[in-house]
Every structure is written in structure tokens, then in C-alpha cells.
Amino acid sequence: MRNASITLNSAALTHNLNQVIKKIPKKTKILAMVKADAYGHGVKHCLPSLQQADALGVACFDEAKQIRSLGWQKGIVLIEGVFSQQEWAESIEAECQSIVHHQYQVQWALEKLPTSDSASRTMWLKLNTGMNRLGFEPKEIVAVAKTLVDAGYNLILTSHFANADCPDHPSNANQIKIFTDTLTALRDQVDSNIKASLCNSAGIINFPECHFDWVRPGIMLYGSTPLEGISAQELQLQPVMTFAASLMAIHNIAAGASVGYGSRFVANRPMVKGIVSIGYGDGYPRVVDGSAWVTVTPQVKNTASDSTEPETVVSYKCPVIGRVAMDMIAIDLTEVPNPTVGCKVVLWGDPDQSEPSVDEIANSAHTLGYELLCRVTQRPTRVVI
Ligand SMILES: *Cc1c(COP(=O)(O)O)cnc(C)c1O
């Protein structure tokens, strides 16, 4: 069988959630973001480790329905709100909470009011504080809030940072000021019970004074860094995903031989080259530059079978060479003693185990860990440990 796998470490997910819990005040609740199938991990595999979260955040109603069908009974928040009046009605049935970021959603909310005991009576009111993606402007939001509160809704004011990963960026202070000023105005003029939520992962780490009533961690739960220049390891986050495959062929090639599509890689010396059963069809990025590497762990032959000493496992860092294909990549095995077909190759996993982190490979692909995690496909087998 072709060997390409995604191993999910439940203990790491629990650990990362606990890292969030440690950073926030006791009264602050956690909306764990599980959009895009839990950042590519598979939400059904992640739910058991997220039981301590107060609610789960998704991008669309289909994702919410899936989570309900998996038995999640606590809150679900549609972070882009509903996309039709029909969906608004269905989201009430499913006891979801919605963001309201636009007038058309206010209209639907006014036309159909959830019962007073329904979770859907709480609305997340989106304020544009400067990201300029979604949300009401500060000058219009008081009127919107008043309409919703008068109709019987409870509100959570929410907004999103544009640059939370760079704490010194001047937009952060601006956004925080607009958010807190607006919150004060709403509490003074509309409803003193209005709650607030501002921080994603980077905000949780960089702006502890802004945790308010709800935080919304995403990427940090999965053990990839939300910050530029600070690794997940330094933040004491553990990678949840290990992306691995195995060696399916080994060849000696001569100096001057080229490898793969476009003959892009040319050996400058005699080399040992390995082919690994993984490619962009599994989610390994085709666009990696020459800096991408994998960890190869040769199978240790048990020569002294009477020995009770555990074998020490040595692994080797091997560069990815040539173009990434749909199903295969080539690697340089020259430095690996006795590589064998079938031995394990880790594409990204745990830097504590000398494996590349997803963030390191994301660097080689000129993107973020977020994108690589979301883009793993359904083809690799998923194993939960
Ligand atoms: C995705 C998302 C988050 C989580 O962001 P991370 O950077 O992954 O922590 C938080 N809030 C909103 C509105 C989001 O869309």
C-alpha cells in the first residue's frame, strides 16, 4: 500500500488549549476556531480534545451542521454569519450563534426572532476597527446595536486585528482604541451587558490587556506559530499534525544527472537519491524553494537480538531536490547510511524530534503554516494518537 499519512496528536491539542487557558483571565471564555475542517486536521478527530472550549467557531453553516452531527452540544458561532434568510432559520434550529456584519443580516434577525431561551438570541456584532474586511463602522454601529437590543438580542461586540502578529505595528493601537471606545459607547448608550471579543491567537499572545469576555484561538491550538519570527516551540506549543510518508525507491545518480520535471535539479556530484510517496496531491506544496527538507529515519536492523538496550533511533535531515510532483518528491539521501525502501520520511512534524516544523516548510513555500495545514488533502490516511 502507498504510504502517506497524517498523524494527529490529541495530547498536543489538549496541551495547546491548556496554554490558551493559562494565558487568559478565569472569566474569559474560549471560542476555539475549527473552521476549514479544523485547519485541515479533521474536525471529527479534534473534538474530543476540545471539550474544555466554551464554543467552536466555524466559517459557514455546513461546518456547523457537521459539528452538531458529531454530538457537540455547546455553542457554535458562525464567524461570517448566515448567507441567506433560509440559513438564518436553520441556524436557529441548530442553536447556532451568528456574527452580524451587514445590514441584510440585521434585517433577517429582525424578521425572525429566536425564542428567549435559544442560544441564537446572542448575536456577535462585528465592528470594523480598521481591517476593512467585514463589519459596521463605529459611527453606524450604535444604531444597529440599539435596533438589535430593542428586538431582544444579547450582544457580543467583536472585531479582528489586521496586524496582531506584529505587536509594534501602529494599526494595533488604533484598532484597540476604536474597539474600546465603541464598547464604552455601546455599554453607555445601548446595553451595559454587552460583551466583547477581539483576540485571535496572535492577539492572545501579544495583547493580554485585550482578552475581554471571549478569545478566539485558531492556529495556536494546532501548534503552528501565529507570530512572525517566533517559533511554535518558543511559544511552548506542540504540533498536532505529523505529515509523513516513506521511501519508495532509492537510486545512485551520476554527477550531471537531472531529477524530475523540468530537469530543474542537476547533481553536482555522484549522489544517492530517494523517491518519497508524497506530492502536491497530498498537500505537500509544489512551490517549495531549495530550502525544504525532510527527516529520514533508517530502519535499524536488530543485529544484537540478545541485547536489552533499546536501539537509539538516528534520523537524518535530507534536502528536497527537483520539482514536487503530484504523487512523489525526490530527496538527497547521500548522507544517510544504509537507507532502505520503506523507511519513514517526515515532511513536517515535531521539531523536538528533529523534524521540520510546518512553519519551516511554509517558509520554504513562501506562505504560512495556516495555508499548508488547510491544504492537506483527504488522500493521506489519518491516524489519531
Ligand atoms: C480564523 C479566525 C480566528 C482565529 O485566528 P488565528 O489567527 O488562527 O488564531 C479568530 N477570529 C476570526 C474572526 C477568525 O476568522
Side-chain angles (χ1 to χ4, degrees), residues 33 35 39 79 126 160 200-201 216-219 370:
M33 300 306 296
K35 60 194 178 190
Y39 290 48
I79 52 136
K126 184 101 171 191
H160 199 53
N200 60 352
S201 298
R216 308 187 305 267
I219 196 72
Y370 290 80

Side-chain angles (χ1 to χ4, degrees), residues 289-306:
D289 60 27
S291 66
W293 58 283
V294 300
T295 300
V296 174
T297 311
Q299 288 153 334
V300 222
K301 289 198 196 69
N302 203 350
T303 42
S305 53
D306 55 335

Side-chain angles (χ1 to χ4, degrees), residues 70-86:
L70 290 166
W72 178 263
Q73 312 230 325
K74 291 195 257 183
I76 298 178
V77 181
L78 305 172
I79 52 136
E80 295 174 13
V82 290
F83 286 80
S84 71
Q85 193 159 22
Q86 166 78 12

Side-chain angles (χ1 to χ4, degrees), residues 56-293:
L56 300 179
V58 294
C60 59
F61 187 55
D62 275 348
E63 293 179 341
K65 278 194 288 195
Q66 186 194 0
I67 291 169
R68 277 285 177 251
S69 74
L70 290 166
W72 178 263
Q73 312 230 325
K74 291 195 257 183
I76 298 178
V77 181
L78 305 172
I79 52 136
E80 295 174 13
V82 290
F83 286 80
S84 71
Q85 193 159 22
Q86 166 78 12
E87 202 169 83
W88 170 240
E90 290 175 28
S91 77
I92 296 172
E93 285 291 303
E95 298 261 331
C96 294
Q97 297 179 9
S98 284
I99 272 196
V100 53
H101 64 77
H102 209 282
Q103 198 59 46
Y104 63 83
Q105 294 166 326
V106 177
Q107 218 43 52
W108 296 335
L110 297 177
E111 282 165 26
K112 184 173 173 68
L113 182 72
T115 55
S116 58
D117 59 343
S118 166
S120 308
R121 271 293 261 269
T122 298
M123 274 286 189
W124 295 62
L125 180 60
K126 184 101 171 191
L127 172 69
N128 176 28
T129 51
M131 179 146 178
N132 292 320
R133 197 170 60 176
L134 292 179
F136 295 97
E137 292 303 311
K139 61 181 187 309
E140 62 185 347
I141 205 162
V142 174
V144 175
K146 200 158 183 349
T147 313
L148 289 168
V149 167
D150 287 349
Y153 288 98
N154 310 308
L155 298 183
I156 301 172
L157 183 72
T158 183
S159 192
H160 199 53
F161 283 116
N163 297 288
D165 51 330
C166 314
D168 298 330
H169 195 290
S171 76
N172 291 311
N174 268 333
Q175 286 194 269
I176 292 168
K177 178 158 189 350
I178 292 171
F179 189 79
T180 48
D181 286 354
T182 307
L183 182 61
T184 305
L186 289 176
R187 283 178 175 166
D188 285 351
Q189 296 169 41
V190 182
D191 178 357
S192 59
N193 289 318
I194 291 176
K195 303 271 191 289
S197 172
L198 184 55
C199 288
N200 60 352
S201 298
I204 291 168
I205 296 164
N206 284 334
F207 302 105
E209 72 283 12
C210 295
H211 288 165
F212 296 106
D213 301 290
W214 285 86
V215 289
R216 308 187 305 267
I219 196 72
M220 68 187 294
L221 295 175
Y222 306 100
S224 163
T225 186
L227 306 180
E228 215 180 294
I230 303 181
S231 69
Q233 231 174 346
E234 289 168 297
L235 295 168
Q236 291 170 15
L237 301 171
Q238 296 173 0
V240 174
M241 182 188 292
T242 299
F243 194 26
S246 53
L247 267 182
M248 59 186 284
I250 300 167
H251 306 105
N252 295 309
I253 59 171
S258 61
V259 177
Y261 285 122
S263 304
R264 207 172 66 132
F265 177 85
V266 180
N268 62 1
R269 59 192 154 91
M271 286 177 61
V272 185
K273 174 215 62 174
I275 299 295
V276 184
S277 56
I278 204 95
Y280 62 78
D282 303 286
Y284 192 80
R286 182 175 176 279
V287 294
V288 286
D289 60 27
S291 66
W293 58 283

